[in-house]
Amino acid sequence: KQELETDSTHTEEKQGKVDGAENSGSVPPLNGNACNVKIIKGIYKGKYGISCGLKGEASILVKIDGENKCLRRTSVQSLHSIGNANSQLDDIKNNYELRDNSYNGVAIFTEQDEVYIKGGKTHRGKTGKVVKVCKKTIKVKLDNEDNIARVNHEHAIPKHMHMEKEEILDFRVAGFQEGPRFGEKFISKISFTDKDAILFDKTFLHHMFGRRILLEQHSTKQKIQIDTEIENEFGSFQIISTKLVEGEGGSSLKFQKPKDIQSVYLQTKGPGLDELSVEDILLSIASFDLLPTRKVKARMELFQSPAHKSKLTGKHLLEFYEHTMFKDIPESGHEGCGFICEDLLNELLGDDAYAKEAICIQVRIFIPMMGVYKGMLMKKKITSDEKILLPESMKKISASKQSNVSKKACLLVTQAGVDPSPNNQYIGRLPFINLDAKKPPKSFETKKLSEMFQRLFKSLQVPDNIVKDYAKRSFQKKGSKKLADIRHTFLRGVADPTGQIPANSVFVTGIHIAMDFPSEMFITRSPCLKSSDGCLIKVMKEKPTSMAEDDYLWLNSLPFGAIIFGFPEHGCKPIPTLIADGDLDGDRYFCLWDESVLNHISCRSLSSTPILHQDENVLTKVDNTNEGWFRDTQELMIDPSFREIHQLTTKLYSLNKKAADKDKSKFLRNEDAEAYANAFNESLKNQKHGTKVRLPHKLWDSIPAKLQVHLTEI
């Protein structure tokens, strides 16, 4: 109150007394005069401040908690002029709340008004002129079109109030728009299997380097030598990242799909272009030189993560914020999952029905002032200025040590990184989850229960006829009239935003009105090659004594599609790490609650397990004083052994399957099957650590000779 009075006096002395509306319930327009305002949209929603003047046609400066913020005019609502503000701030708030239900921040239109359509599916992003005003909608003659669109009032704003987003150039390199378009026409080795591969902002690398990016992709089966540098008439190119991506054809199982090597080059020199140093660019983003060489290679793959593409706008989800909106928080079993403010998540995803249904997002975050982060963000009620909370397990590279680095942050939502997934949205509409929901469309179909999970159930002593029966009734063909009796799905794992879910328990979103959902279900993670990979876990179905009623109601308001893990007891391992060595940085967990299977299954129930060694997810640093750190990383990128490790991983998967199916009594509990499974898990970690894969020598003959160099005896 004192600050408002001080600001009011200062403003009147400087600008003269303003003519404001009497405090009679009317809401005066935002005209740049100093007045009390309430923020009705965006990350500062619910806060109060003082307008300090307009900035352009679409923005306004507002003083919030002593700091000036530039906001869209559509996100701010006037309370009354300070010139006539004799009442206290509490009275202002109370008076505003009485009007809140009648106003709702929706503009009132008249015919011939020019509008910008900000919401809806069909006409979002278009402009036009109002030709008719109805009770809930307006008819708009679209610019440059013959069509007349019917638009809900809340989906339109006056055209002059629409503001295009400011383009952030902090991470763009010089000449990012000036490089040539590369392809087979110019460089014979280069081929694009994806026409969209050279679009800006598909990945963080594309955002940074634009047209100076050169992409090479070929099958691992082809014996092609990858070069660290390319020289031609267009200039010089240096390799900056390589990554294994899924090729075409093959099995539907992830580890049996053929792989392609995708290599990204940067044009460092060229006619009319500024010369670039790859090392300097990377060090301006984060301290790569503090990581071991193998970790540098692995972390560069984060820069190649493709972004989620909005179905409404067609744009990829790369957004930029001030670094002060992010905050590091202590690690206490988050396992790669942080939190994001509910309102910010809604705004990020488009502020529509799809955005409101979102539970969590998988992200890559690049903040020179703080570091590079990877993992999940679960939505949470956050009232502080820091809207995104990042635990230590999300940080993969430390902050840049260079001076004068960007104070911006880039947040990328990954390609399949928004939950609930489309499949879980449909499962959430099945009768056993929500009896009153609209049934899934005829296009809804389910995949057959994979052989991997059927094999696991048999290993856990579920009779063969029970497994086959469930596999049959849980499968639904496209267009089938009868809904499948599906009692399993993959749910994205996230950390508890309330901090009150009991240890060793989970909360499954969207099941509060489900029929007969059990208090304990089966859970595992793919791939599951060992019988110990599957276990039973408690499901929280009632409000714990320590949990606030509001938090419990909020959890129950979330749609079906995620599994929330309670934090571990002090000194104990996080539960996800006990489920096939899982975590919460993007893993989807296979969950099954079918009673016929659960009644026969024989496996452990999850319980507290003491920590015996340091968690691998915690960031480790090395003092890498070698000035050639990036050259060493480039040599590692083109090392053929990485292709061989993938081949070894695929071979071990097949051998595990073969050994388990051969033993009709033990299945995955067969001695050889377990040995292959352990070796398979070690091969997955080889890329990070470069360690040999342990396998009993008696089994070496089953491995091709060229791959045996990566093995060691137990």
Side-chain angles (χ1 to χ4, degrees):
K1 296 175 186 177
Q2 184 177 358
E3 187 177 346
L4 283 173
E5 292 171 1
T6 304
D7 287 332
S8 172
T9 305
H10 175 73
T11 305
E12 289 179 355
E13 289 176 355
K14 190 172 182 179
Q15 298 181 347
K17 197 167 185 177
V18 296
D19 295 326
E22 295 295 332
N23 189 10
S24 60
S26 63
V27 183
L30 291 168
N31 54 14
N33 292 332
C35 65
N36 290 323
V37 295
K38 181 178 180 180
I39 317 303
I40 58 174
K41 294 177 67 177
I43 60 174
Y44 299 106
K45 180 180 178 181
K47 291 199 171 188
Y48 295 82
I50 301 171
S51 63
C52 303
L54 301 180
K55 187 174 181 181
E57 291 186 347
S59 301
I60 185 169
L61 290 174
V62 179
K63 192 166 191 177
I64 304 172
D65 297 333
E67 294 186 9
N68 286 337
K69 305 290 183 182
C70 183
L71 307 175
R72 293 191 182 195
R73 291 176 65 178
T74 54
S75 66
V76 178
Q77 184 172 336
S78 168
L79 299 183
H80 65 268
S81 169
I82 285 181
N84 294 321
N86 298 318
S87 61
Q88 296 184 351
L89 185 58
D90 288 341
D91 295 333
I92 296 171
K93 290 181 181 179
N94 292 334
N95 183 56
Y96 178 81
E97 296 301 336
L98 292 175
R99 301 193 303 266
D100 211 7
N101 291 332
S102 61
Y103 182 73
N104 288 329
V106 178
I108 300 173
F109 299 102
T110 59
E111 291 184 9
Q112 301 304 310
D113 282 349
E114 293 187 336
V115 297
Y116 171 81
I117 303 171
K118 64 171 185 172
K121 293 183 178 180
T122 309
H123 304 292
R124 184 173 185 162
K126 297 179 181 179
T127 57
K129 186 174 289 186
V130 177
V131 295
K132 186 176 181 180
V133 180
C134 305
K135 185 176 180 180
K136 295 183 178 180
T137 62
I138 55 175
K139 290 185 177 180
V140 180
K141 170 63 174 65
L142 299 176
D143 293 340
N144 303 319
E145 293 186 31
D146 295 330
N147 297 335
I148 292 180
R150 183 184 291 273
V151 181
N152 291 338
H153 280 270
E154 63 268 23
H155 288 166
I157 59 173
K159 186 176 178 180
H160 71 274
M161 298 179 74
H162 169 61
M163 178 178 65
E164 293 292 338
K165 284 190 176 181
E166 174 189 3
E167 184 178 7
I168 304 298
L169 300 176
D170 291 45
F171 302 103
R172 303 279 203 189
V173 301
F176 74 96
Q177 289 180 315
E178 300 171 12
R181 291 181 181 273
F182 297 107
E184 293 180 6
K185 181 177 178 181
F186 302 118
I187 302 171
S188 60
K189 283 184 63 177
I190 305 306
S191 63
F192 291 100
T193 57
D194 181 357
K195 293 180 180 179
D196 205 27
I198 57 174
L199 289 179
F200 292 166
D201 292 0
K202 183 178 181 181
T203 68
F204 187 60
L205 282 180
H206 282 91
H207 172 81
M208 291 172 67
F209 302 130
R211 293 176 184 264
R212 297 182 73 158
I213 280 286
L214 182 151
L215 181 70
E216 174 185 335
Q217 185 167 320
H218 59 79
S219 172
T220 53
K221 296 179 180 179
Q222 296 176 272
K223 295 182 179 180
I224 295 179
Q225 176 60 42
I226 302 174
D227 301 315
T228 58
E229 296 185 17
I230 297 175
E231 296 278 350
N232 57 38
E233 67 269 30
F234 297 100
S236 301
F237 303 82
Q238 283 195 37
I239 195 168
I240 52 177
S241 183
T242 59
K243 184 179 182 180
L244 284 175
V245 296
E246 289 185 3
E248 296 182 357
S251 169
S252 60
L253 293 174
K254 178 179 178 181
F255 295 100
Q256 291 185 315
K257 283 182 177 290
K259 294 288 184 178
D260 288 353
I261 297 179
Q262 189 180 87
S263 305
V264 181
Y265 292 82
L266 170 65
Q267 186 183 24
T268 56
K269 299 178 185 178
L273 296 176
D274 292 345
E275 185 173 344
L276 299 176
S277 166
V278 179
E279 292 96 325
D280 289 346
I281 294 170
L282 294 180
L283 291 175
S284 71
I285 302 295
S287 294
F288 284 90
D289 54 341
L290 295 182
L291 296 177
T293 305
R294 283 183 172 270
K295 282 287 182 73
V296 175
K297 179 189 179 301
R299 299 311 178 217
M300 279 306 302
E301 293 183 9
L302 301 179
F303 287 61
Q304 280 181 262
S305 297
H308 180 81
K309 190 174 182 179
S310 170
K311 291 182 180 179
L312 292 176
T313 65
K315 295 181 180 179
H316 293 95
L317 278 183
L318 274 85
E319 294 293 335
F320 298 87
Y321 304 100
E322 296 295 331
H323 79 280
T324 51
M325 284 181 55
F326 298 78
K327 180 182 179 181
D328 287 319
I329 60 175
E331 178 67 28
S332 59
H334 295 79
E335 290 300 303
C337 180
F339 303 106
I340 182 170
C341 173
E342 264 191 301
D343 292 332
L344 179 58
L345 177 61
N346 187 45
E347 184 180 280
L348 171 67
L349 296 180
D351 194 21
D352 56 14
Y354 168 76
K356 289 180 173 63
E357 287 292 296
I359 301 173
C360 54
I361 52 175
Q362 187 182 36
V363 296
R364 308 287 184 256
I365 304 174
F366 307 90
I367 317 174
M369 298 286 289
M370 297 173 64
V372 174
Y373 299 79
K374 166 198 174 187
M376 296 296 299
L377 293 177
M378 171 67 190
K379 73 177 179 182
K380 176 183 172 75
K381 297 177 180 180
I382 300 176
T383 56
S384 64
D385 290 338
E386 298 91 359
K387 302 300 179 182
I388 297 177
L389 309 179
L390 305 170
E392 188 178 357
S393 55
M394 287 188 71
K395 182 178 286 191
K396 302 305 175 184
I397 318 175
S398 298
S400 172
K401 301 190 298 293
Q402 293 188 352
S403 58
N404 301 320
V405 297
S406 172
K407 295 182 179 180
K408 297 288 185 181
C410 175
L411 184 151
L412 178 149
V413 181
T414 62
Q415 195 167 45
V418 181
D419 284 274
S421 66
N423 187 64
N424 281 332
Q425 288 177 347
Y426 289 145
I427 291 178
R429 288 161 55 178
L430 292 173
F432 62 83
I433 294 292
N434 188 345
L435 190 61
D436 299 324
K438 182 180 178 181
K439 302 298 184 290
K442 291 182 179 179
S443 59
F444 172 63
E445 60 180 335
T446 62
K447 293 181 179 180
K448 288 184 177 180
L449 185 67
S450 74
E451 290 183 0
M452 179 176 65
F453 293 119
Q454 293 189 47
R455 189 179 301 114
L456 177 61
F457 292 143
K458 293 174 187 177
S459 303
L460 298 175
Q461 300 180 18
V462 180
D464 183 65
N465 65 314
I466 297 292
V467 174
K468 288 181 177 178
D469 174 68
Y470 176 71
K472 182 178 180 180
R473 58 186 166 86
S474 64
F475 173 62
Q476 177 165 324
K477 292 182 179 180
K478 194 173 185 179
S480 176
K481 294 182 180 180
K482 184 179 179 181
L483 289 174
D485 184 23
I486 179 171
R487 307 289 174 126
H488 73 270
T489 190
F490 283 92
L491 298 175
R492 186 88 76 171
V494 290
D496 177 14
T498 70
Q500 296 299 319
I501 295 176
N504 307 319
S505 299
V506 294
F507 180 83
V508 179
T509 62
I511 65 162
H512 61 289
I513 56 175
M515 297 187 300
D516 302 323
F517 201 96
S519 57
E520 192 173 48
M521 68 179 182
F522 179 80
I523 187 170
T524 187
R525 191 180 70 97
S526 181
C528 46
L529 308 188
K530 301 171 67 176
S531 59
S532 58
D533 287 341
C535 47
L536 297 173
I537 192 166
K538 295 176 184 176
V539 179
M540 188 188 93
K541 297 183 64 181
E542 297 180 353
K543 185 183 81 68
T545 307
S546 59
M547 182 178 288
E549 185 70 27
D550 286 348
D551 286 339
Y552 186 64
L553 292 174
W554 180 82
L555 285 175
N556 282 318
S557 71
L558 300 175
F560 182 79
I563 180 170
I564 306 176
F565 288 82
F567 286 108
E569 296 175 348
H570 180 71
C572 293
K573 292 182 178 181
I575 285 297
T577 64
L578 304 176
I579 307 171
D581 197 23
D583 53 40
L584 299 179
D585 71 354
D587 286 357
R588 295 186 191 274
Y589 288 84
F590 176 85
C591 301
L592 177 137
W593 56 94
D594 180 75
E595 289 289 350
S596 66
V597 177
L598 293 178
N599 288 339
H600 292 87
I601 209 161
S602 176
C603 63
R604 63 194 171 102
S605 294
L606 288 173
S607 58
S608 296
T609 305
I611 295 175
L612 301 179
H613 55 81
Q614 183 181 358
D615 190 342
E616 289 183 1
N617 278 333
V618 176
L619 178 65
T620 55
K621 303 177 184 178
V622 297
D623 185 13
N624 193 344
T625 56
N626 179 13
E627 294 182 359
W629 63 272
F630 187 66
R631 185 177 63 251
D632 293 342
T633 304
Q634 288 179 313
E635 292 298 326
L636 198 60
M637 290 176 185
I638 65 172
D639 189 343
S641 66
F642 279 94
R643 281 172 275 183
E644 294 176 356
I645 284 295
H646 168 67
Q647 294 169 11
L648 177 61
T649 301
T650 303
K651 185 66 176 177
L652 290 167
Y653 182 94
S654 299
L655 291 169
N656 166 268
K657 172 184 172 182
K658 185 177 179 180
D661 289 343
K662 189 177 180 180
D663 189 335
K664 299 300 182 182
S665 60
K666 292 184 177 180
F667 295 98
L668 291 176
R669 291 179 287 116
N670 174 274
E671 181 183 346
D672 291 349
E674 289 189 339
Y676 287 128
N678 291 331
F680 172 89
N681 291 332
E682 289 191 8
S683 71
L684 296 178
K685 298 178 181 179
N686 175 275
Q687 184 174 339
K688 291 182 182 178
H689 309 294
T691 53
K692 295 274 189 177
V693 176
R694 293 176 295 175
L695 186 70
H697 195 271
K698 67 175 184 176
L699 301 178
W700 281 34
D701 288 343
S702 60
I703 305 295
K706 69 172 185 176
L707 302 180
Q708 292 183 13
V709 295
H710 302 290
L711 300 177
T712 185
E713 292 187 50
I714 294 179

